Amino acid sequence: LAAASGALVYCCGPEPLMAAVLAAAPPPPPHRKGPNMTPVSKWCVVTNASLPDLGHLATQTADLGDLKVHYRGPEGVRLPENPPFTVDVATLAPPSPDGAASTLRIEPDGVTARVSALNENPVYYAVNRSRGLFAYFTDLLLAPLVLPALGLAVRFQGGAPAHESGTLVADVSRLRHATVRRTRRTGGRWLTEAGDEHDVLGDFRTPHRDDALAAGEAQLEALASEIARVDAAAPEGTGYATLLSGGIDSGTVTYLAARAGLPVTPYSVASPWGDELDDAAELCAELGIGLEPVHLTEDQIIASIPETVRWLGLADAEVVEVALTATTVQRLGAVPADEVLLTGYGSDLVNAGLYRPFDHRDDLIEQVLSAVDRTRRSNELSNRMPLAYGTTTHHPFWSWPVMRVALETTPECKVREGREKYHLRTAMGRRVSEPIAWRKKIAVHHGGGLQDGVARRLEKETGVQDRQAVYLACFAGLLDRAARGELDPADPWELLEHALRGVRSR
């Protein structure tokens, strides 16, 4: 009965503090390539307050005396029973040896949150100082279940956060990049100390790689090493996928994966507002591999808005619209769940692919660093959605070794003769034909036709041009559902229609 209904079943295990969550999904739709999966959010909460509304949602809980842990992690992953232990915020599993990830270190008498320099995966913090209560948590939609336990009201804040650590929920802060915050019980009181580590982004205001070909070759070498690292950590026999457009970024990742001998399948997205199927097929023909087209309808893309807002945890219009394609592909199962997805996301940021006209080289350097800084607060490259679906996604351009090479490259190498990513195109021009390396990309994922099409549809539905109001209304609706313990995506059209009605009635 549970399997037929798709209900959640909670079973008591042999240990009273542990619970198992079993999710059953309805039959897959005809277009789905992989197994149909219902997304189940994964998260961790560390607090000194009692959270009665959260316990039944966790797969594992631990009462450490004054400190309590609530955890819903990936299938097959369990926290150690006895502290101290450390949780990687990106994977909600033990951290990798490189130590570069954001982590929560849980000890019997305290918790330490260490946020990476790139800060892709957020750590949220709320505190009621008058009552000495606090909570660290990894999913903003947990706020309605956490804040009341701290003696704080749940208040949705419309519009953009007032400061870089702000969120759409009052009294909830996002810990900033390159910071360490420790809360520990000392002398019968909870004391918090916080400090900033060196922000490595500031080291790249004087880039020194000034030979376009050499800089491009260095970046290709770093990318190839990152792809090899991903493959070395994957189980034997793992298949790979790429989201291949006609641009140089996804084309480079696809080329390097194929040339490394990985079993890679490129998927190219077509929407009613444009596609790059012919351009993508041209590279596949040179590589001797097949291309899988993914045709998305307008309704499928629009229906992904609530879930996109849910995984981002924000409502910035451009960020939401950039993420819509990836969300739709994931939501519809267009890429099989057992294939590791490699994307070209992040290259525009570090390689000046979205540059504005500049009068001085320092202007472009600042544009690049500002773009990276904004992205480490936008959640668009976080691991929250793949975790919920049980899939694996990597963004090779957003790995630190690749970013370092890109940020060390001078503006004169990145932008030349009216072309962006000149250094990357120059290096790839030695490997693929000239049209592929130097093609001007039609922006499908990062705006252009898709963004305009979404804007027109929402204006038609609401009668106003303020599409961000729709995204904010979606978040408010998600927040209301979360207060009832419904943390995961429901009927997208129900959520979206509720948001549209709210905007229409303003």
Side-chain angles (χ1 to χ4, degrees):
L1 179 62
S5 66
L8 292 179
V9 181
Y10 301 94
C11 305
C12 294
E15 300 176 15
L17 295 180
M18 309 301 174
V21 178
L22 305 176
H31 63 268
R32 191 175 181 95
K33 295 178 181 297
N36 191 18
M37 299 177 62
T38 300
V40 178
S41 57
K42 310 299 192 297
W43 38 263
C44 183
V45 184
V46 186
T47 180
N48 65 342
S50 176
L51 300 179
D53 295 331
L54 196 59
H56 73 285
L57 297 175
T59 57
Q60 194 174 343
T61 62
D63 190 337
L64 308 180
D66 292 325
L67 204 61
K68 299 169 178 61
V69 180
H70 298 264
Y71 174 82
R72 189 158 82 180
E75 184 178 356
V77 178
R78 294 176 61 84
L79 298 179
E81 295 186 10
N82 299 310
F85 53 84
T86 302
V87 177
D88 185 326
V89 176
T91 64
L92 293 181
S96 59
D98 61 19
S102 298
T103 59
L104 288 171
R105 173 75 174 174
I106 300 163
E107 301 173 86
D109 59 349
V111 57
T112 301
R114 183 179 298 274
V115 182
S116 74
L118 297 182
N119 194 16
E120 311 96 319
N121 296 281
V123 177
Y124 299 102
Y125 177 71
V127 60
N128 185 335
R129 291 181 175 82
S130 65
R131 296 178 58 177
L133 299 175
F134 68 89
Y136 294 87
F137 49 105
T138 62
D139 188 336
L140 186 56
L141 281 191
L142 292 172
L145 303 176
V146 170
L147 293 180
L150 304 182
L152 299 171
V154 181
R155 293 182 291 121
F156 168 63
Q157 301 185 124
H163 53 88
E164 73 168 7
S165 298
T167 69
L168 292 176
V169 182
D171 295 320
V172 178
S173 298
R174 174 179 175 159
L175 299 189
R176 72 188 302 273
H177 54 271
T179 193
V180 179
R181 180 183 290 264
R182 186 181 191 192
T183 301
R184 185 174 183 180
R185 189 168 181 83
T186 304
R189 300 174 57 195
W190 289 97
L191 301 177
T192 297
E193 55 184 11
D196 291 336
E197 297 183 323
H198 174 63
D199 184 5
V200 292
L201 199 59
D203 297 341
F204 298 97
R205 299 193 180 278
T206 55
H208 61 272
R209 295 181 184 269
D210 56 6
D211 181 281
L213 177 58
E217 290 289 345
Q219 189 166 144
L220 294 183
E221 182 179 351
L223 282 166
S225 296
E226 174 63 14
I227 292 170
R229 184 196 67 79
V230 169
D231 186 49
E236 186 175 354
T238 294
Y240 293 86
T242 62
L243 291 180
L244 180 60
S245 68
I248 191 66
D249 310 321
S250 58
T252 297
V253 170
T254 301
Y255 173 89
L256 292 174
R259 285 292 181 254
L262 272 59
V264 58
T265 301
Y267 296 81
S268 190
V269 173
S271 81
W273 307 297
D275 67 69
E276 299 168 89
L277 298 179
D278 290 342
D279 295 341
E282 190 175 353
L283 174 61
C284 290
E286 286 199 15
L287 292 172
I289 57 179
L291 177 70
E292 289 282 342
V294 178
H295 294 275
L296 301 180
T297 68
E298 179 175 323
D299 276 355
Q300 287 172 332
I301 295 169
I302 295 298
S304 294
I305 289 175
E307 192 166 329
T308 301
V309 172
R310 190 265 176 271
W311 302 127
L312 289 172
L314 47 75
D316 179 86
E318 183 175 353
V319 175
V320 170
E321 288 148 11
V322 166
L324 274 175
T325 299
T327 303
T328 309
V329 167
Q330 178 74 85
R331 187 174 67 86
L332 299 179
V335 176
D338 58 354
E339 290 185 359
V340 173
L341 180 62
L342 305 174
T343 83
Y345 295 151
S347 176
D348 278 335
L349 304 167
V350 297
N351 286 316
L354 298 175
Y355 75 97
R356 302 180 184 90
F358 63 97
D359 298 324
H360 192 273
R361 69 193 307 270
D362 290 346
D363 294 339
L364 184 59
I365 294 172
E366 189 59 38
Q367 285 180 31
V368 170
L369 296 180
S370 295
V372 173
D373 182 49
R374 287 192 303 272
T375 302
R376 59 184 178 180
R377 299 194 300 272
S378 71
N379 298 339
E380 59 192 283
L381 298 178
S382 79
N383 197 44
R384 180 178 293 131
M385 182 170 65
L387 262 181
Y389 279 94
T391 58
T392 303
T393 299
H394 293 278
H395 312 292
F397 279 102
W398 198 251
S399 64
W400 187 241
V402 178
M403 293 176 70
R404 178 182 295 277
V405 173
L407 296 176
E408 289 174 345
T409 301
T410 64
E412 294 81 4
C413 290
K414 293 179 176 179
V415 180
R416 188 183 299 179
E417 299 174 9
R419 297 307 306 272
E420 86 290 354
K421 304 173 192 171
Y422 184 91
H423 60 305
L424 193 57
R425 296 179 188 280
T426 300
M428 281 298 292
R430 304 175 69 185
R431 295 163 170 80
V432 297
S433 64
E434 189 273 343
I436 293 175
W438 293 96
R439 179 183 294 119
K440 290 187 177 181
K441 179 181 177 183
I442 301 172
V444 173
H445 304 300
H446 287 275
L450 188 146
Q451 189 169 12
D452 290 344
V454 170
R456 289 194 301 271
R457 170 68 178 266
L458 295 183
E459 182 177 355
K460 178 182 177 181
E461 296 280 355
T462 62
V464 299
Q465 294 183 343
D466 184 10
R467 61 193 189 277
Q468 183 163 309
V470 176
Y471 308 149
L472 286 167
C474 283
F475 185 86
L478 289 162
L479 207 61
D480 288 342
R481 290 184 68 253
R484 302 191 298 269
E486 301 171 18
L487 296 177
D488 299 313
D491 179 359
W493 290 110
E494 179 183 345
L495 285 166
L496 184 59
E497 183 55 38
H498 182 270
L500 294 171
R501 284 198 303 268
V503 175
R504 291 189 203 109
S505 63
R506 291 192 312 174

